[in-house]
Amino acid sequence: MKSSLERTVCRAGELAPGQRKIVFVDGRCIVLFNLGGELRAIDDACPHNGASLFAGRLEGSVLRCPAHGLAFDLLTGCSPASRALCLTTFPVRQIDDGIVVTLKDGGSLA
């Protein structure tokens, strides 16, 4: 049976639409995005070479890795060019005034 780890990582008011924020959950660096009111959470490491994605250029829901320009759709977690290349994503939701990230088995959900 898989166990889940839920953590409130910030207050909802700290992540307005269009903003992003780095948080730490059990030693993992996670980037939160508010895409026009829709929350997304990803591991802050590009699956290609481990570069930080926090400073990547965001074009709508597509995030570009600042190291090599690889594109990832935050709505699917995968690269539009190759569905085999995907980010590590995490379920995220707002509960009352908090933003909660969920990890399974202390790890990720892809």
Side-chain angles (χ1 to χ4, degrees):
M1 183 168 138
K2 291 186 179 184
S3 62
S4 293
L5 173 68
E6 284 191 337
R7 292 283 190 263
T8 300
V9 294
C10 67
R11 291 188 1 231
E14 295 177 53
L15 191 64
Q19 291 186 324
R20 65 184 83 179
K21 179 177 182 67
I22 287 188
V23 297
F24 297 91
V25 179
D26 281 11
R28 294 191 76 125
C29 186
I30 296 173
V31 185
L32 302 174
F33 293 87
N34 184 331
L35 303 175
E38 191 168 346
L39 301 175
R40 296 292 179 197
I42 63 168
D43 190 276
D44 187 35
C46 179
H48 170 246
N49 69 357
S52 171
L53 295 168
F54 177 75
R57 188 174 73 233
L58 190 60
E59 302 160 345
S61 66
V62 176
L63 178 69
R64 292 207 173 266
C65 174
H68 293 100
L70 290 172
F72 298 95
D73 188 338
L74 295 176
L75 300 179
T76 66
C78 296
S79 170
S82 170
R83 304 279 293 161
L85 187 59
C86 297
L87 300 168
T88 300
T89 62
F90 305 94
V92 60
R93 62 194 171 155
Q94 183 175 335
I95 299 177
D96 298 322
D97 187 40
I99 294 179
V100 176
V101 173
T102 303
L103 282 73
K104 288 215 181 209
D105 292 330
S108 67
L109 291 175

